[in-house]
Structure formats: structure tokens, C-alpha cells
Amino acid sequence: MIIMRRPAPLEIFMRHLFTKAASLAAVATLAFTVAQPAQANQIGGGAQRADAAATPAYFEMTDITRSTFIVKLVNDREINHARELVSGATEDEPHLVGRIIKSPAAYNPRWSFHFDPDSVQFFNNAIEVCDATIPYVEDHLDEAGGPFLPGRYFCPWTSRLVREVAAP
């Protein structure tokens, strides 16, 4: 016979506290990882963002589900890297990471969320806590920003750019 006991209030509190602490640590790690390239641009003389693009560029990305998603890029370095990925000139840092905004964008009407264009970067490897598929994010958008996609950072490990698309 198996006897099951109810967890004591202290056990429940400790589990809750541990979950919150782990989520905060993941967000801090992700924020530090994503912030490093932006900080590196400021080190060499305090120059402002000289890499800001005059004209945004739009790219179609996909993931393992074969769903497509339009991404707006506003940073010259990221736009150039995206174009190199699409042309096949590079295979380095093929995946996208960025902070999601929980509202549709005119250029991406199929989905109820989009990347904040100022936050999009490329990566080779990322922590698991920000990985999901495009449809999964859509289906669980109300949970994004908590333990699911802490800080609303989304880094689909199977993401890849398919092509550049015309501005809407």
C-alpha cells in the first residue's frame, strides 16, 4: 500500500520560491547574453549606435514546424548578416533571438505577436528557456514573460531565414 502525504505549506512555499529564483536567474542570464553585443558597440569611445539602418528590411523565417513568420530588422549589421545567410555566403549564427511584443504587426498579420525590431540578433547556441516553435508561442502567448519565455525573449533553435521580402 502506498501512502501519499500532502506537502507541508513550507514545502509548497520553497518549491514556489525555487521556481521564481530559477526563472529570474534564467532571465538575468539571457539578458546578459543578449546585451553583450550592444554593450560592446559602446566600449570603443562611447559612440552612439552608428549601425542603425535608415531603411528597415523584412525577412521570412521558418522553424521545424514549417510555419513562416516575418521579421523586421532595423540594424545594419543584422540586415547584412541576414542577407549573407539568405544568399548562402555564411552559415554562422543562423538562428534569431529577440524580445517579442504581444500584438500583431502589419507586416506579420498571421500571428498575434512579433519581434521587437530593436532587439533582434542572431545566434549559434542559446539557453533552452527561450526556445519554442512559432505556433507554440502563439498558442501560449498569454504565458510568455513568466516561466515560459522569461523576459519575453524568444530564441527558436530551429529558426532559419528563408528569404528577404518586400516592405509592406
Side-chain angles (χ1 to χ4, degrees), residues 53-88:
T55 305
Y58 300 83
F59 293 86
E60 181 180 81
M61 71 172 242
T62 189
D63 66 12
I64 196 167
T65 67
R66 296 192 177 148
S67 298
T68 58
F69 188 88
I70 304 299
V71 179
K72 177 181 179 180
L73 299 179
V74 295
N75 176 289
D76 276 338
R77 181 181 46 230
E78 305 308 331
I79 291 169
N80 291 336
H81 185 71
R83 288 180 175 146
E84 289 176 356
L85 286 168
V86 170
S87 73

Side-chain angles (χ1 to χ4, degrees), residues 75-107:
N75 176 289
D76 276 338
R77 181 181 46 230
E78 305 308 331
I79 291 169
N80 291 336
H81 185 71
R83 288 180 175 146
E84 289 176 356
L85 286 168
V86 170
S87 73
T90 188
E91 293 180 5
D92 189 39
E93 296 184 330
H95 312 295
L96 291 103
V97 60
R99 196 167 199 184
I100 62 167
I101 297 174
K102 296 180 181 185
S103 66
Y107 55 85

